[in-house]
Structures are given as structure tokens and as C-alpha cells.
Amino acid sequence: MLTSSVQNLLLSSRQYTPSIKRKYRINSLEEYESKWKESVENPEAFWSKEAKKHMSWAKDFHTVFSQGKSSFEWFLGGELNLSYNCLDRHLERKSEKIALIWEDEKGNSKKFTFSELHKEVCQMASVLKSFYLKPKDVVTIYLSTSPELVISMLACARIGVVHNVVFAGFSPESLGARIKASSSKLVITSDGFYRREKFIPLKATVDEAFQKYSLKSSVLVFDRKAEKISLKTGRDFLVSDFPSMKLEDESLDFFSSEHPLFLMYTSGSTGVPKGLLHTSAGYLLGALLTSYYLFNLTDEDLFWCTADIGWITGHSYIVYGPLSLGTSIFLYEGGLQTPDPGRLWRLIEKYKITKLHTAPTAIRLCRQAGDKWVKKYDLSSLELLGSVGESINQKTWEWYFDVVGGGQCPILDTWWQTETGSTMLSAFPGLAPFKPGCASRPFFGVLPKVVGSSGHPLLNTKGSLILEHPVPSMARTIYQDHARYEKEYWPEGFLNYKTGDAALQDEDGEIWIHGRTDDVINVSGHRLSTMEIESFLSANELIAEASCVSIEDSLTGQALCCFVILRESTCEKNAEGIKSLISNYISSSLGSFAKPKKIFLLKSLPKTRSGKILRRTLRTLAEGKKPEGDLSTLEDATIFESIL
Ligand code: PRX
């Protein structure tokens, strides 16, 4: 573990300050500190002022924050419509401005002005109404990162229906579990799309999920003419079969600030994925304000966040944040390295993207492909770069800064979670010099602390990261499991939100993230629960018992390593064949991003006498080393000899 003084020493030879000085909404440390201080000393006044300034309300709120024994609420009495905030309110000034540009892997593209996007969303809202959906009903959306997905989300928000977007890389198993757990009345999908030159058949996956889970919801399909669709009479409907309505017929309802907006299923420290529920006003305010003060989005920007919309980053920084500010967004559907590693840079040159937000895994992949791919293209339109979802190490950060940004763009390393809804810690673009790999400072209204096991604050020492107060964009509950929500995140009541991350605060007060403290691992920014994978493995008839750990990976940050004990009846001779069966089983159960990097077939697991698996020894084994340290609690201390 590096202390911050060592870190600073390492960095001291270079000052990471962009060579072009631009004006941002926050331009000096004094400005930041004074606003941050004001925001945490009187949070209600701060949030109230910002909510009134930036959002359109049909009815003003009368109470900014209220906290009960088991819940908290923001902006009580207020009424608004999020689709109105992202579209209608821009029509007067920006109806002909580009809202969205999309390109797919094959190079097909589409553009929508705010007026066109508004029309599409209203049409889709009227289609949804034909399904007799009531406000608060849940609709699962299983679509690629496409205009159809943005339109479906905003159509749901328009009529007060809760969207539950499921990442298009998920298997029938994971999709079915999420449709069922969310009690979705409707599933929206399409025939499919191409990713890395392979057709991903979304509708066929939905059909399989319905069969596996005996689901009864209706299915609404966008026919993108990529593949023939088979429709089940009475259950499946084509969007194109619904008559177009006249826009004058569109009525608009407004919903309370705490009206549920969306569910997002994510992995936790237990085997069961949790559906985090976000509500309307507070969530929008978080996504909007961080887009405003951190990314400094303006009318001149074309913002590209490369995340999949199926994850929280896509919700906040493709859809709700930028569109609520009336900023143009760029969407790309497909593999970032397809057909060659220049794709990402070619798109920036072609569309003159001004701000790019991406994940460290994508940056590492590009760096691995070589500078020549970046240097081939004119990236002079770029003004600002973002990084999200995982730690970015110094070398990768420097490459992003020097080669991609040409030394002219600030890099925002943004730290947050599905649970927090919007960025909680980040570098601010106007506060250079930057510290590579440092999540830096709290956003306004956020009060982070790094604490030791007894809750005492730590400086320059690794501890647990907590956030002292609820902020508006935080999830309000875990769908149908409020007890788990309170226990996992707020064990002390609504004080000290437990992030599950370890961190270190340096003497400048800046925060360095040091990974998870629980059994959640982060593969290319995808959150996986080792317990969830273990429970899938144990359900396989070949497997008696399994344990999973994470190992470091130069490309994906972390990778999955599984230790498996086969059932006696399983033929152990064809070990490689069995390993590949297990690997395919995990990919098809969870999605290909969960494919393990290493699988070990064992006779037994290293357990203590009380039956607890000594995970740290598995981590060492996964790295090909012999576990050391105190092994006295092991039931069988000779076990490692046979494994190695
Ligand atoms: O461990 C942290 C890591 O990703 C977790 C949240 O994952 P998820 O809910 O899927 O949201 C990802 C998009 C925000 C966190 O608990 N993480 C997120 N951002 C960073 C990070 N780790 C290091 N540095 C970051 N900037």
C-alpha cells in the first residue's frame, strides 16, 4: 500500500495540467471549496436552489428533505415529468438542435433533433398506454444501446411507468430472473443487433427466458429488419403495428418527486441480484448537476459516454444527465474495436465529439492496440475525458492524458455506484494539476469519510469509505427487500452510507479508491458477485462445490478464477473438456463478460475446521503461488501440495 506521500513523490516529477486553459463552471480551488462548504453546511438550501434553477417543476416542492425511521425523501410536494425535463422544455429554443446521433457497427447511422426525439417518445408513450399500464407498473427493456432504447426509457418516464433496463449481454437465465423479480407487465425488445460482427438475437433470448421462467408478460418488439422475428399470438406485438397518433392527442401527466423512475439490478455480496429503485426528482438532479459542474456540458458539446445504457452509467450520462441539459449525445452500438482498433478514434474524428467518457478497460484495450491507431485520426475536437467504473492505474491514465487527450484535456476519474445514481467523487476539470488514478474530491453536497473498523476517521491509511448523509440521487430501496437495503447500506440509520469500497484520503483531502471490501468483483467495470457465480456453479450436476475469487488482470482490471470440486461420478480424465464446459456454463448462465479466466479442478477446498473457506489462500493459489501466513485454522494443511 502506498501512502499518499509516496504517491505524491512518484508523481512529483510531472505536473498533469492540460496545456490549453479553458473556462469551466468551477475554475479554482477557492471557488470549489467555498461552494462545497456551503453545500454540506446547509445541504437543504443548496439542493433546493439547484433543483429550482435547473429543473422544470409542474408544482413546487414545499419540503426539501424529510427522514423517517426507515426511509428518506427529497423535494416533497413537488411534481414533475422527467421526459418533459429531457425533451419538451427544450423545444422552444432547441427544437431543431441535434439531440442524438447514433451509429451501429456496420456504419448505419441516424440523427434526431429534439423535436424528432420528442415526437418518437410521445408515439412510444401512446403505444405503451395501449397495454393498459398504470403508473408504477414495471416494464423490462432488453435492447441494445440504440435510439429505440432511449425512446423506450423516456416513454416509460413520460407515463410514470418504471423502466427496468437489462443489459443486452445478459443470458436468458439472467434476463428471465430479472423480468420475474421485477414483476414486469411488459418486455420491450428487438430482433437483435451486431456486436463484434456477431448477431445478438435479443428476441430469441427473450423467448428462451419466457420459457425457462414460465413468464406471462406481453412482449413488444421493434423490428429492425436484422432477422426474421417469430411472434407468439396474443403475447408478442410489433411496435410498427400500432397506429401513429396525432401529437395534439398527447396529454402529459406530472408525478410526485418520489415517484419511482427505474429499477437497476446489480450484484451484491450475496447470491441474489438486487433491484435498486431510483426515484424521479432526486435522481435527475444528481445526474444533471454532475453533468453540469463536472462534464461542464453545454449547447456546443457532442457528448459520448461509451457505456452500455443497460448499466447505471448509461442511464445517468447518456440519457438523463445530458438530455436534461439539452446537450447532444452520441450513441454507438457495437464493438469499440470492430472492425479494427481505430473505430473509437474514427468516430471521434467523424462526428467531432467534444467530450468522451469511458471505462479503464476500454482505455487499456486501446493502449494495447497501440498509439498508431489513435494518431491516425484528428482528435482535436476533444476537450475533456472521463473515466468510470474501475480504478485507472497511473500508466493507463498517462496514456489517456498524453496520447488521447494530447496533453490538452482534463481527465475526470469519477467514482460512484449504481446505488448512488450519480458521481460522488471526481476530479474537477478546472482544478488542475490532476493526480493520475485519484478519484479526488467530493461532489457538492457529498460528505465522504475514510474510517477504521471502529468508525474513527483515518488519514493516509486505507480504510472503509462512507458517505455521511443521504444525497438526492441515492437509491431509495431494494425492490421488495427494504430490510436488505437498510442492513447493507445504512446499518446505523440514515447516517454513514456504507459504500463497500476501501479508500485512502491523502493529506490534501483527496480520495484514492482501493477496491471492494466485500465479495463483489469488478471485471471490465461489470459488477459480479462471487456468491452468485458460486450458487450457479453448485446448481450444475457435474459440480459438488465451488468457490470463486478475483485475480488481477492487465486488461480487465480484475478477472474471475473458479475453484471447482467435481462430483465423484464426473469423469475427471478429460479435465480440459470439463473446464471448457464449466466456462461455457457460466457464460450462458450470466453472460459472456462473466467467463472465468482460470478454472482449477480440486479434490477439496481449503477450509477451516469450522467449515469456512479461506479465500485469501485461494487468491494466492490463483496467482500460482503457495499460500503462506497463518494456516493453523485449516482442516487439512497439506491440501496445497496436491493443488499446486
Ligand atoms: O468498487 C467501485 C467501482 O465500481 C463499483 C460500483 O459499480 P457499479 O454499481 O456497477 O457502478 C459502476 C459505475 C459507476 C464501486 O463500488 N468503481 C466505480 N468507479 C470507480 C470504481 N473504482 C475505482 N475508481 C473509480 N473511479
Side-chain angles (χ1 to χ4, degrees):
M1 156 80 33
L2 296 180
T3 67
S4 81
S5 20
V6 178
Q7 272 157 342
N8 288 339
L9 200 71
L10 282 174
L11 305 178
S12 62
S13 54
R14 234 191 115 173
Q15 289 273 312
Y16 298 89
T17 303
S19 55
I20 293 186
K21 190 153 175 56
R22 296 190 176 86
K23 209 145 169 55
Y24 299 102
R25 289 177 174 125
I26 301 292
N27 289 296
S28 67
L29 199 53
E30 296 71 49
E31 224 179 313
Y32 163 80
E33 277 172 350
S34 121
K35 196 168 176 80
W36 181 78
K37 203 159 165 268
E38 176 200 319
S39 74
V40 293
E41 280 177 359
N42 196 345
E44 295 189 22
F46 168 79
W47 291 115
S48 163
K49 192 171 90 190
E50 299 286 346
K52 284 184 178 155
K53 180 174 160 198
H54 292 283
M55 283 158 55
S56 301
W57 298 86
K59 197 169 153 207
D60 278 345
F61 48 89
H62 52 68
T63 307
V64 184
F65 178 69
S66 155
Q67 180 180 318
K69 209 171 148 284
S70 60
S71 64
F72 60 86
E73 297 177 308
W74 288 89
F75 310 116
L76 273 85
E79 285 184 11
L80 77 173
N81 184 300
L82 263 58
S83 175
Y84 178 92
N85 270 272
C86 290
L87 299 169
D88 307 47
R89 67 171 176 157
H90 306 312
L91 295 182
E92 201 179 318
R93 234 173 29 86
K94 301 183 187 172
S95 74
E96 297 315 309
K97 179 182 155 65
I98 291 293
L100 185 163
I101 302 178
W102 162 86
E103 182 168 313
D104 73 1
E105 200 170 89
K106 291 187 166 175
N108 301 308
S109 70
K110 277 188 192 162
K111 287 183 182 178
F112 295 80
T113 61
F114 273 96
S115 147
E116 288 164 340
L117 191 62
H118 172 254
K119 187 170 163 212
E120 294 285 341
V121 169
C122 292
Q123 297 284 4
M124 187 63 181
S126 91
V127 174
L128 293 181
K129 281 183 186 165
S130 321
F131 287 86
Y132 302 105
L133 296 166
K134 298 184 303 300
K136 297 191 185 174
D137 280 347
V138 181
V139 167
T140 290
I141 309 179
Y142 187 60
L143 286 169
S144 53
T145 289
S146 55
E148 289 88 345
L149 177 46
V150 178
I151 291 164
S152 301
M153 287 165 72
L154 292 176
C156 286
R158 196 163 190 89
I159 61 169
V161 157
V162 181
H163 56 73
N164 172 39
V165 181
V166 176
F167 172 53
F170 269 132
S171 62
E173 185 75 44
S174 303
L175 170 66
R178 284 157 176 77
I179 298 171
K180 190 168 178 205
S182 61
S183 325
S184 290
K185 294 260 167 62
L186 177 72
V187 177
I188 306 176
T189 190
S190 75
D191 37 356
F193 69 108
Y194 282 87
R195 189 178 160 80
R196 296 197 204 116
E197 290 167 350
K198 196 176 141 215
F199 184 68
I200 313 286
L202 296 177
K203 172 64 167 63
T205 309
V206 169
D207 290 343
E208 220 182 308
F210 267 63
Q211 206 174 26
K212 273 202 161 108
Y213 283 84
S214 311
L215 299 168
K216 298 276 177 279
S217 339
S218 302
V219 180
L220 183 59
V221 189
F222 282 98
D223 184 1
R224 305 175 94 205
K225 313 274 183 227
E227 177 144 293
K228 204 168 163 339
I229 306 169
S230 69
L231 296 175
K232 190 169 169 195
T233 317
R235 187 195 76 179
D236 299 349
F237 303 87
L238 288 176
V239 177
S240 54
D241 281 348
F242 287 81
S244 290
M245 57 147 204
K246 288 203 208 80
L247 275 190
E248 307 82 78
D249 297 343
E250 159 72 0
S251 62
L252 187 63
D253 294 322
F254 294 93
F255 304 96
S256 72
S257 298
E258 285 292 340
H259 188 84
L261 176 67
F262 68 86
L263 281 175
M264 168 72 56
Y265 278 86
T266 189
S267 296
S269 51
T270 69
V272 192
K274 44 193 176 184
L276 289 152
L277 181 83
H278 281 279
T279 59
S280 302
Y283 168 77
L284 183 69
L285 184 59
L288 182 155
L289 271 198
T290 45
S291 302
Y292 184 81
Y293 285 113
L294 295 172
F295 290 99
N296 276 255
L297 295 187
T298 67
D299 279 354
E300 279 69 53
D301 281 319
L302 179 58
F303 185 52
W304 183 14
C305 169
T306 69
D308 194 288
I309 302 182
W311 304 113
I312 190 73
T313 307
H315 278 46
S316 303
Y317 298 109
I318 296 179
V319 184
Y320 288 106
L323 289 180
S324 63
L325 288 171
T327 300
S328 311
I329 55 169
F330 177 70
L331 289 187
Y332 173 65
E333 178 183 317
L336 283 174
Q337 305 259 324
T338 311
D340 59 56
R343 187 64 184 261
L344 203 149
W345 319 117
R346 206 151 52 238
L347 288 169
I348 294 175
E349 177 186 270
K350 178 172 172 188
Y351 292 103
K352 301 199 168 24
I353 309 274
T354 57
K355 290 170 182 169
L356 174 74
H357 195 21
T358 192
T361 293
I363 308 168
R364 287 191 291 265
L365 206 65
C366 292
R367 182 172 170 232
Q368 205 174 64
D371 297 10
K372 67 168 193 215
W373 290 105
V374 189
K375 295 202 166 133
K376 243 173 115 169
Y377 298 97
D378 174 10
L379 306 186
S380 57
S381 59
L382 280 179
E383 292 178 12
L384 188 148
L385 302 169
S387 169
V388 59
E390 321 153 56
S391 294
I392 176 164
N393 63 357
Q394 181 163 348
K395 281 273 165 276
T396 309
W397 192 102
E398 279 177 344
W399 185 83
Y400 200 28
F401 185 80
D402 293 331
V403 182
V404 179
Q408 303 183 345
C409 304
I411 296 183
L412 312 189
D413 180 357
T414 63
W415 175 90
W416 55 297
Q417 307 175 305
T418 304
E419 290 83 344
T420 67
S422 62
T423 303
M424 298 285 108
L425 305 174
S426 174
F428 276 65
L431 305 190
F434 301 106
K435 296 179 184 175
C438 180
S440 303
R441 300 182 169 87
F443 187 66
F444 303 124
V446 177
L447 247 177
K449 241 193 210 164
V450 176
V451 295
S453 50
S454 56
H456 56 284
L458 299 172
L459 196 68
N460 264 334
T461 309
K462 186 170 133 181
S464 303
L465 177 67
I466 57 168
L467 308 177
E468 273 192 40
H469 292 294
V471 292
S473 67
M474 279 178 172
R476 301 294 190 262
T477 190
I478 293 175
Y479 190 61
Q480 293 178 337
D481 198 353
H482 194 68
R484 181 176 175 193
Y485 169 80
E486 287 187 73
K487 188 166 156 238
E488 261 180 44
Y489 303 116
W490 304 101
E492 303 164 51
F494 293 113
L495 266 182
N496 299 339
Y497 165 80
K498 248 177 78 178
T499 67
D501 275 9
L504 177 145
Q505 187 158 32
D506 66 22
E507 54 249 339
D508 302 326
E510 294 188 62
I511 295 180
W512 302 74
I513 302 294
H514 283 263
R516 304 282 308 186
T517 54
D518 54 17
D519 293 329
V520 172
I521 70 169
N522 191 328
V523 179
S524 307
H526 298 311
R527 236 162 102 163
L528 295 174
S529 151
T530 50
M531 283 184 69
E532 190 181 351
I533 300 162
E534 284 161 12
S535 71
F536 267 115
L537 286 172
S538 310
N540 187 299
E541 56 191 16
L542 298 177
I543 297 168
E545 200 181 357
S547 185
C548 301
V549 295
S550 68
I551 45 176
E552 292 212 355
D553 184 275
S554 61
L555 199 62
T556 57
Q558 291 187 316
L560 180 68
C561 176
C562 306
F563 294 84
V564 173
I565 301 172
L566 296 172
R567 283 188 196 282
E568 263 177 44
S569 55
T570 308
C571 165
E572 287 176 38
K573 289 205 177 102
N574 181 9
E576 288 315 309
I578 287 178
K579 282 186 194 177
S580 118
L581 261 176
I582 293 172
S583 175
N584 290 337
Y585 171 67
I586 297 179
S587 315
S588 63
S589 305
L590 285 157
S592 54
F593 56 89
K595 209 175 181 69
K597 185 175 179 190
K598 284 188 189 171
I599 297 174
F600 290 80
L601 301 179
L602 308 181
K603 292 229 181 303
S604 62
L605 289 169
K607 287 187 185 171
T608 61
R609 287 182 193 92
S610 58
K612 204 168 166 285
I613 296 169
L614 264 190
R615 282 176 182 273
R616 82 174 159 82
T617 62
L618 289 179
R619 271 182 219 114
T620 318
L621 275 177
E623 287 162 5
K625 294 185 228 144
K626 192 173 171 189
E628 285 169 351
D630 181 15
L631 300 174
S632 60
T633 53
L634 273 181
E635 194 180 23
D636 173 10
T638 63
I639 179 174
F640 301 121
E641 312 296 335
S642 60
I643 294 171
L644 280 173

